[in-house]
Amino acid sequence: MELTLEEAKKVVAGAEAKAAEIGVPMNIAVVDVGGNSMASERMDKAWLGSINIAINKGFTAVAFNMTTEDLGKASQPEQSLFGIHASNDGRLIIFGGGIPLRKNGVLVGAIGVSGGAVPEDIEVAEAGVKDFK
Amino acid sequence: MELTLEEAKKVVAGAEAKAAEIGVPMNIAVVDVGGNSMASERMDKAWLGSINIAINKGFTAVAFNMTTEDLGKASQPEQSLFGIHASNDGRLIIFGGGIPLRKNGVLVGAIGVSGGAVPEDIEVAEAGVKDFK
Amino acid sequence: MELTLEEAKKVVAGAEAKAAEIGVPMNIAVVDVGGNSMASERMDKAWLGSINIAINKGFTAVAFNMTTEDLGKASQPEQSLFGIHASNDGRLIIFGGGIPLRKNGVLVGAIGVSGGAVPEDIEVAEAGVKDFK
Amino acid sequence: MELTLEEAKKVVAGAEAKAAEIGVPMNIAVVDVGGNSMASERMDKAWLGSINIAINKGFTAVAFNMTTEDLGKASQPEQSLFGIHASNDGRLIIFGGGIPLRKNGVLVGAIGVSGGAVPEDIEVAEAGVKDFK
């Protein structure tokens, strides 16, 4: 089971539609199961600093097969994984907006969204995933 | 004058259509005048190693306001810019496939294409630019 | 006193057997006294993000001649070494799963394990060390 | 079609046997189709500097679906891809010793070997591939 570019674009489009709806320009990326970028875009006026974060939220969600939000909970000070964000050459993002993509329960990739407040990033990422299912 | 995401996507789509026509799966990227990624995609079965190269061909074409092919000519051993490929944190690509995008002669961004033989990369990048003009 | 590849493989095999027993696919690595990788493996379906962490738990355990768990205790906010995880080019891991390997009390290398909850990582790493002694 | 750890270990073992036969200690690595490390080992007395090169030969062979030897031919001064070795964050190796692994013609990963003269690296890598087929 592999993710195709056509599927990846649909995920991006679903997220973009939600970002437009809530009026927050976003960086949106989809990575494959190897953590490699398949499709990414920056909406007009979206933050430059979020290009890297969107792709790396996707990478992180694939790398640990969980949302970046969940990884973040375990990575706070005094929690079990505190410090993990400095590993993997700085590619791990430990706040919400990265969500695994699965086919019949099998990990095939992930979406990463960055550009707004974290709850907005999550809402937009979820919209992309919803279209995938 | 700025490049919009809609314009960037048209450039990518024009390139993708040509890549499909010649039957070579490509990585295609468009960067803005700041050298930052706006849109990128990897066609199914395109080389993983070309994700980085496509974006950086775009970066390079913006960074020196010339095609990567032209920069490459000046960067061979014994030529005036030999060694430049190791600068800019390894982001400069010195072979064809990166082309500046201009509006009324003003630089607004660039396309970068990687995934085939260099003449194929150039052909596909030119197809993207053609649609832009 | 040096660690041989044969010994390193035994350590890895001991850890792998424990990981299989508890049903958690792991990344397992052994590094030498110079902190350099000797043997590493990723069990089927183990997290991609743990490849880097397993090797670097080994590096960290050698680098400070203590378990990563112990280093982690001193590296929490308000503790004496807080911030150390950003040093060494991001190679230090400050939670459990990295354990020094010693011969007659002399440091010869370390094992690093990553792929489950931290107590699972520690359990698997200890199984590898046990086989070494 | 995926590469399993058991298969990866067989490839490594086949290469190690050849390295022992010719008396040259090697670093040997196998990466999956996403370019991520699956198994690696450093034989006793093998060069430290080859740990990185072995893994990155594997990465390179997957990234362009060709041997590093073939990529190297196109990457010499005045050839079409000159300068490519500075891309991909310095992970591309453009001399022999990296060979794709295929199942029924489909790319599933690659082996990378480093530690001797390049013809020795190639010989050892080919021995690993032979056992895979």
Side-chain angles (χ1 to χ4, degrees):
Chain A
M1 270 178 298
E2 269 182 35
L3 200 57
T4 65
L5 176 57
E6 195 183 336
E7 291 170 321
K9 282 181 175 176
K10 257 187 222 168
V11 171
V12 171
E16 185 186 333
K18 173 60 74 179
E21 182 192 320
I22 65 173
V24 182
M26 293 285 187
N27 283 275
I28 304 164
V30 170
V31 304
D32 67 17
V33 71
N36 299 303
S37 180
M38 295 188 67
S40 70
E41 67 170 48
R42 174 161 46 102
M43 293 171 69
D44 296 335
K45 304 202 184 304
W47 291 331
L48 284 189
S50 285
I51 301 171
N52 170 289
I53 293 175
I55 286 183
N56 285 332
K57 280 183 180 174
F59 172 77
T60 304
V62 158
F64 297 98
N65 198 358
M66 66 177 75
T67 66
T68 54
E69 190 181 6
D70 282 346
L71 184 66
K73 285 174 189 161
S75 306
Q76 300 301 310
E78 308 295 340
Q79 299 303 312
S80 61
L81 300 180
F82 174 65
I84 198 174
H85 59 288
S87 76
N88 281 269
D89 301 314
R91 295 196 62 196
L92 300 186
I93 308 294
I94 56 172
F95 44 88
I99 305 179
L101 296 168
R102 297 192 178 92
K103 285 186 181 177
N104 303 325
V106 178
L107 183 71
V108 292
I111 182 174
V113 172
S114 179
V118 171
E120 293 169 332
D121 293 354
I122 294 172
E123 183 182 2
V124 169
E126 285 175 345
V129 174
K130 194 179 166 191
D131 268 34
F132 178 65
K133 279 173 178 167
Chain B
M1 269 180 297
E2 271 183 32
L3 198 59
T4 64
L5 176 58
E6 196 183 335
E7 291 170 320
K9 282 181 176 175
K10 256 187 224 167
V11 171
V12 171
E16 185 185 334
K18 173 60 75 178
E21 183 191 319
I22 66 172
V24 183
M26 293 284 187
N27 283 274
I28 304 164
V30 170
V31 304
D32 66 17
V33 71
N36 300 300
S37 180
M38 296 187 67
S40 71
E41 66 171 48
R42 173 161 46 103
M43 293 171 70
D44 296 335
K45 303 201 182 308
W47 289 334
L48 285 187
S50 284
I51 301 171
N52 171 288
I53 293 174
I55 287 182
N56 285 329
K57 281 182 180 174
F59 171 79
T60 303
V62 158
F64 295 99
N65 198 358
M66 66 178 76
T67 65
T68 53
E69 190 181 5
D70 281 346
L71 183 66
K73 285 174 189 160
S75 306
Q76 297 301 311
E78 309 297 339
Q79 301 302 313
S80 60
L81 300 180
F82 174 64
I84 199 173
H85 60 287
S87 75
N88 282 270
D89 301 315
R91 295 197 61 197
L92 299 185
I93 308 293
I94 56 170
F95 44 88
I99 305 178
L101 296 168
R102 299 193 177 92
K103 285 186 182 177
N104 304 325
V106 178
L107 183 70
V108 292
I111 183 173
V113 172
S114 180
V118 171
E120 293 168 333
D121 294 353
I122 294 173
E123 183 182 3
V124 169
E126 286 176 345
V129 175
K130 193 180 166 191
D131 268 32
F132 177 65
K133 279 173 178 166
Chain C
M1 270 181 295
E2 272 183 34
L3 199 57
T4 65
L5 175 58
E6 194 183 336
E7 290 170 321
K9 282 181 174 176
K10 257 188 222 169
V11 171
V12 171
E16 185 185 334
K18 173 60 74 176
E21 182 191 321
I22 65 172
V24 183
M26 294 284 187
N27 283 274
I28 305 164
V30 170
V31 305
D32 66 16
V33 72
N36 300 300
S37 179
M38 295 187 67
S40 71
E41 65 171 50
R42 174 161 45 103
M43 293 171 70
D44 296 336
K45 304 201 183 306
W47 290 333
L48 286 188
S50 285
I51 301 171
N52 171 288
I53 294 174
I55 286 182
N56 285 329
K57 280 182 179 174
F59 171 78
T60 304
V62 158
F64 295 99
N65 198 357
M66 66 177 76
T67 66
T68 54
E69 190 180 7
D70 282 345
L71 183 67
K73 286 175 190 161
S75 306
Q76 297 299 311
E78 311 295 339
Q79 300 303 313
S80 60
L81 299 181
F82 173 64
I84 199 173
H85 59 288
S87 75
N88 282 270
D89 302 315
R91 296 196 62 196
L92 299 186
I93 308 294
I94 55 170
F95 43 89
I99 305 178
L101 295 168
R102 298 191 179 92
K103 285 187 183 177
N104 302 325
V106 178
L107 182 71
V108 292
I111 182 173
V113 172
S114 179
V118 172
E120 293 168 333
D121 293 353
I122 295 172
E123 183 183 2
V124 169
E126 285 175 344
V129 175
K130 192 180 166 192
D131 268 33
F132 178 65
K133 280 173 178 165
Chain D
M1 269 178 298
E2 269 183 35
L3 199 58
T4 65
L5 176 58
E6 194 183 336
E7 291 171 321
K9 281 181 176 177
K10 257 187 222 167
V11 172
V12 171
E16 185 186 334
K18 174 60 74 176
E21 182 191 320
I22 67 172
V24 183
M26 293 284 188
N27 283 273
I28 305 164
V30 170
V31 305
D32 67 16
V33 72
N36 299 301
S37 179
M38 295 188 68
S40 70
E41 66 171 49
R42 173 161 46 102
M43 294 171 69
D44 297 334
K45 304 199 183 308
W47 291 332
L48 284 189
S50 285
I51 301 171
N52 170 289
I53 292 174
I55 286 182
N56 285 331
K57 280 183 180 174
F59 171 78
T60 303
V62 158
F64 297 98
N65 198 358
M66 67 178 74
T67 66
T68 54
E69 190 182 4
D70 282 345
L71 184 66
K73 285 174 189 161
S75 305
Q76 298 303 308
E78 309 294 342
Q79 300 304 311
S80 61
L81 301 179
F82 173 65
I84 199 173
H85 59 289
S87 75
N88 281 272
D89 302 314
R91 297 196 61 197
L92 299 186
I93 308 294
I94 55 171
F95 43 88
I99 305 179
L101 295 169
R102 298 192 177 93
K103 285 187 183 177
N104 303 325
V106 178
L107 183 71
V108 292
I111 182 174
V113 172
S114 180
V118 171
E120 292 168 334
D121 294 353
I122 294 172
E123 183 182 3
V124 169
E126 285 176 344
V129 174
K130 193 180 167 191
D131 268 34
F132 177 65
K133 280 174 178 166

